[in-house]
Amino acid sequence: MEEIQVRQVKEEEADQLMAFLLKHYYAEEPLTAGTSPPEPDAADKEFLLSNIPHGTCFLAILTEAQGQRIVGAVVAGPKDATAPQEVADEAAKHAGTKWGRILTALSAVETATDVCRRFQVPSSLHVHALGVDPAVRGRALGARLMTAAIQQARELGHRLVSVDCTSVYSARLVCGLGFELVHTLRYEHLKDSAGEQLIRPPAPHESIQTFVLRL
């Protein structure tokens, strides 16, 4: 019988995690799909993997007759009141690149939301990426992965979990887990220095919605 276990990512599993994210996260993620070229920059991938040592990233592992394989993953990491400035600095550092354009969008969101100051908490566990293999969708794996991250946030003493939902599907998921919407930024309102739309995601995605869960 097939069994799916959710557990922490081990540091030596970074390559396997990235291979999974490239296939089942980046390919559909609106910020990535909405900017060119289609492949994520190395700096983008390095940033996600840098969260593994925090112990706040989780895998869903399917055990079947042929062995084990990753069928889901969530990447999360801590942030504090310095996040808006840090993201703005990183966006400037990577200006002119795909990752720089994505960071510019995320910087606008961070500046508008500033959740640690808004909710007067010292830190938040921020969810950066969530992916599930389509072959096992419909089994609440996204919810299980998010729940694992939420529980870890509690154990680490964070008083808030935050997430910038770039797709309608992730927004629907976190709403079902009790998150509250605190900000919406429509993609059509994100402009570059020339006045052109910065991110052009595929339908049905129209905005970046920031949600929080108070612990």
Side-chain angles (χ1 to χ4, degrees):
M1 181 177 178
E2 292 183 348
E3 177 186 353
I4 298 178
Q5 173 194 16
V6 173
R7 62 163 174 79
Q8 277 184 348
V9 180
K10 302 171 185 175
E11 292 197 40
E12 60 269 24
E13 294 175 316
D15 289 346
Q16 296 98 304
L17 170 61
M18 183 50 61
F20 176 83
L21 293 173
L22 285 168
K23 187 173 182 180
H24 298 296
Y25 166 70
Y26 281 114
E28 298 180 355
E29 197 281 312
L31 295 182
T32 306
T35 52
S36 58
E39 301 81 13
D41 288 354
D44 184 342
K45 295 185 284 186
E46 288 168 8
F47 169 73
L48 283 190
L49 294 181
S50 73
N51 290 280
I52 295 176
H54 296 301
T56 49
C57 304
F58 292 85
L59 297 175
I61 305 292
L62 172 65
T63 299
E64 49 192 357
Q66 298 89 341
Q68 293 186 327
R69 63 185 176 95
I70 299 172
V71 292
V74 62
V75 175
K79 71 175 183 179
D80 57 24
T82 65
Q85 187 59 54
E86 288 178 353
V87 178
D89 290 345
E90 284 296 303
K93 176 182 174 182
H94 293 280
T97 67
K98 179 185 178 78
W99 181 225
R101 291 190 291 276
I102 290 172
L103 285 172
T104 297
L106 294 176
S107 177
V109 172
E110 280 289 346
T111 299
T113 56
D114 199 4
V115 296
C116 290
R117 285 193 177 92
R118 178 183 294 204
F119 292 96
Q120 299 182 326
V121 296
S123 64
S124 170
L125 184 68
H126 191 76
V127 177
H128 297 289
L130 175 68
V132 174
D133 186 330
V136 294
R137 285 179 186 168
R139 298 171 68 170
L141 274 190
R144 285 183 63 189
L145 287 161
M146 286 293 296
T147 299
I150 292 165
Q151 181 59 35
Q152 186 70 349
R154 285 195 178 96
E155 293 181 6
L156 292 173
H158 296 293
R159 291 162 54 191
L160 201 70
V161 177
S162 53
V163 56
D164 299 322
C165 292
T166 59
S167 84
V168 297
Y169 308 120
S170 57
R172 190 179 303 152
L173 169 64
V174 300
C175 281
L177 293 173
F179 281 68
E180 59 184 289
L181 176 65
V182 297
H183 185 261
T184 298
L185 178 60
R186 292 183 64 83
Y187 288 114
E188 63 186 347
H189 295 157
L190 279 167
K191 308 288 186 179
D192 62 18
S193 58
E196 296 294 321
Q197 188 169 327
L198 191 65
I199 309 287
R200 295 182 179 275
H205 313 297
E206 297 180 343
S207 62
I208 304 174
Q209 294 182 290
T210 301
F211 291 85
V212 300
L213 181 69
R214 290 184 256 197
L215 304 179

